[in-house]
Amino acid sequence: MSPKWRKSTRSSQGTSEQCVEVARLSEGIGVRDSKNPDGPNLVVSRDAFKAFTAALKK
């Protein structure tokens, strides 16, 4: 089963040219460039991603 990549609903606001997509993967959270879905992606742990998104909300 391939991962379900999601883009933020806010990416349609303003300039949508600079977006990333995220997906739950068996090894953590995948992050990729929405303009290049076949390109490389970054995988981070779930804890690291949770900390990252919490810091963005501050």
Side-chain angles (χ1 to χ4, degrees):
M1 179 184 243
S2 62
K4 180 180 178 185
W5 291 91
R6 296 177 31 206
K7 189 173 11 175
S8 170
T9 57
R10 293 183 183 205
S11 65
S12 62
Q13 299 173 356
T15 176
S16 61
E17 296 176 6
Q18 300 178 16
C19 300
V20 296
E21 296 175 321
V22 296
R24 288 185 180 139
L25 307 174
S26 60
E27 61 272 22
I29 302 296
V31 182
R32 71 179 183 185
D33 183 348
S34 63
K35 296 183 309 291
N36 187 13
D38 294 325
N41 62 64
L42 172 69
V43 179
V44 297
S45 71
R46 285 174 172 71
D47 289 340
F49 190 75
K50 185 176 179 180
F52 172 70
T53 56
L56 292 175
K57 294 177 184 178
K58 290 183 179 182

